[in-house]
Amino acid sequence: MRFQDIHLHTVAASLPPRVLTSLQLEERLAPLYQRLHLAEGRLELMTGIHERRFWHQGTLPSDAATQAARVALEQSGMDASRIQALLYCGVSRDCVEPATSTAVVRNLGLRRDTLNFDLSNACLGMANAIAVMAAMLASGQVECAMAVTGENAGPLVENTIRRLNQDASLTRQALKEEFASLTIGSAAAAIILTRQGGHPILAMGQASNCQCDDLCRGDAAGGMTEGSAPVMHTDSQRLLEEGVTVAQRMWQDLCREAPWGDGGLPDLVCGHQVSKAHRDLLFQRLGLPLDRDFPIFPATGNCGSASLPLALAMAQKAGALRPGMQLALLGIGSGINSLGFALQW
């Protein structure tokens, strides 16, 4: 699918202040490691993740999303009154009802007629929001829209550590279903789309395989707050293999529409960040050289729906983006769904 007159005006991110290294996390899992005779260092060795970040206790997903939204508004130079639609897209939400978007609208002091709602699709939420906002802009429904997310991984990681240390019956085989939960980190991000001004979004590719919706299941009562007890079970190996297979079909769809230069490849890839194994297999299957990647997972872990926009924002901050560059924004979410976008910087 191709787009016309749809622009990514601003992308921004906010990182939590608390840092937890993989070694520190393993030290907290000492009872489990001693019981199963596991060697420290395996978590970073297997994932390539050195550290991840968490918000201070009491930080709501809407609080984190509001931080990123304020950074985006400051960077954009536009008044908050220009935002006609706001989509909250995180896995983490303040509560089941009302929509977390309402808290962000209130925090930002947006117009009383601001269209707002939650859009949730696992780690793909912000990518889905780009597609939804693009349709809203193309139809003339709005002229300026913002998508935000505030992933709060602390409750999931804390509850996982507690359960693993307390479960004396846990085996090495059963531990595999818990492993993905130890790679999760927190972050917030915001994206502003407009009809004019910014970086043209040129095309989108998509694919799915919903026969695999049981490979990663998460549940939590009470949103993603300190009062909840989130649990996530993941068949990491099958999710990796099936996810990359879906991403291959998405990539083929995207490349049919994207005006790539340089031998049919983008200049830079900013994608959903999971781990080294995921990145390496994905790039191998898509035929992408690793030097086209802008990796952030070593310092952030898997930040859910915030990962893709966070990678783009960090690439911009690092000076890795130059005018005229062709970018690929790639996302995969459990379910399994995959979206990709071609963007000209």
Side-chain angles (χ1 to χ4, degrees):
M1 178 179 180
R2 295 187 180 183
F3 296 105
Q4 287 187 333
D5 299 325
I6 305 297
H7 296 79
L8 189 153
H9 188 285
T10 306
V11 60
S14 181
L15 286 172
R18 295 170 52 216
V19 176
L20 181 69
T21 67
S22 290
L23 183 58
Q24 289 172 330
L25 194 156
E26 287 178 319
E27 289 172 350
R28 294 188 56 191
L29 285 170
L32 171 74
Y33 270 50
Q34 292 170 6
R35 188 166 65 247
L36 297 183
H37 305 290
L38 301 174
E40 287 186 353
R42 62 187 284 120
L43 183 56
E44 183 171 353
L45 181 66
M46 295 175 66
T47 65
I49 297 171
H50 174 68
E51 62 189 33
R52 73 283 292 142
R53 293 169 175 267
F54 301 111
W55 305 104
H56 288 308
Q57 282 198 350
T59 302
L60 293 172
S62 61
D63 297 331
T66 300
Q67 286 187 32
R70 286 177 173 149
V71 174
L73 287 170
E74 181 178 355
Q75 290 181 0
S76 71
M78 66 174 61
D79 190 83
S81 63
R82 282 193 60 189
I83 304 298
Q84 297 171 290
L86 183 134
L87 285 60
Y88 178 84
C89 309
V91 176
S92 309
R93 295 192 290 276
D94 289 6
C95 52
V96 174
E97 186 181 5
T100 300
S101 64
T102 61
V104 181
V105 169
R106 169 174 48 79
N107 291 343
L108 295 175
L110 300 186
R111 297 162 28 165
R112 290 195 174 186
D113 60 353
T114 302
L115 175 66
N116 69 95
F117 54 90
D118 287 0
L119 188 163
S120 178
N121 193 13
C123 295
L124 206 60
M126 288 291 277
N128 282 117
I130 294 175
V132 171
M133 292 190 298
M136 295 168 68
L137 290 164
S139 71
Q141 184 179 8
V142 299
E143 294 294 324
C144 182
M146 176 187 283
V148 298
T149 183
E151 297 293 17
N152 183 23
L156 172 63
V157 174
E158 291 295 330
N159 192 47
T160 300
I161 292 173
R162 182 167 54 251
R163 289 189 303 103
L164 294 182
N165 281 333
Q166 291 176 351
D167 188 355
S169 66
L170 191 73
T171 64
R172 287 197 177 204
Q173 182 63 33
L175 179 60
K176 291 182 178 180
E177 288 194 4
E178 308 283 354
F179 192 76
S181 300
L182 303 178
T183 69
I184 304 298
S186 302
I191 291 175
I192 299 175
L193 261 57
T194 57
R195 290 296 301 272
Q196 297 180 344
H199 312 287
I201 300 176
L202 306 173
M204 180 182 79
Q206 60 188 26
S208 65
N209 178 10
C210 297
Q211 301 303 311
C212 295
D213 72 327
D214 61 340
L215 297 183
C216 181
R217 290 287 177 91
D219 191 22
M224 295 290 280
T225 64
E226 278 69 29
S228 62
V231 176
M232 186 173 76
H233 295 288
T234 309
D235 187 335
S236 299
Q237 187 58 40
R238 278 201 63 205
L239 184 62
L240 168 62
E241 294 168 354
E242 298 291 351
V244 170
T245 298
V246 173
Q248 283 181 275
R249 292 195 285 112
M250 174 277 293
W251 181 248
Q252 293 168 358
D253 186 33
L254 179 60
C255 288
R256 282 191 289 266
E257 304 291 343
W260 304 130
D262 189 16
L265 295 177
D267 298 309
L268 191 70
V269 176
C270 293
H272 173 54
Q273 308 273 319
V274 178
S275 69
K276 183 179 184 299
H278 175 275
R279 190 274 311 273
D280 290 353
L281 182 60
L282 177 66
F283 273 57
Q284 177 190 338
R285 295 278 185 86
L286 300 190
L288 289 168
L290 286 178
D291 62 7
R292 302 291 173 96
D293 183 36
F294 188 84
I296 64 170
F297 64 84
T300 66
N302 178 357
C303 296
S305 66
S307 283
L308 194 161
L310 176 61
L312 183 60
M314 292 181 72
Q316 181 180 29
K317 185 176 182 179
L321 307 180
R322 299 181 301 277
M325 289 182 72
Q326 300 281 341
L327 307 181
L329 310 181
L330 306 182
I332 304 175
S334 58
I336 298 172
N337 294 289
S338 183
L339 280 176
F341 297 91
L343 174 71
Q344 182 175 321
W345 198 253

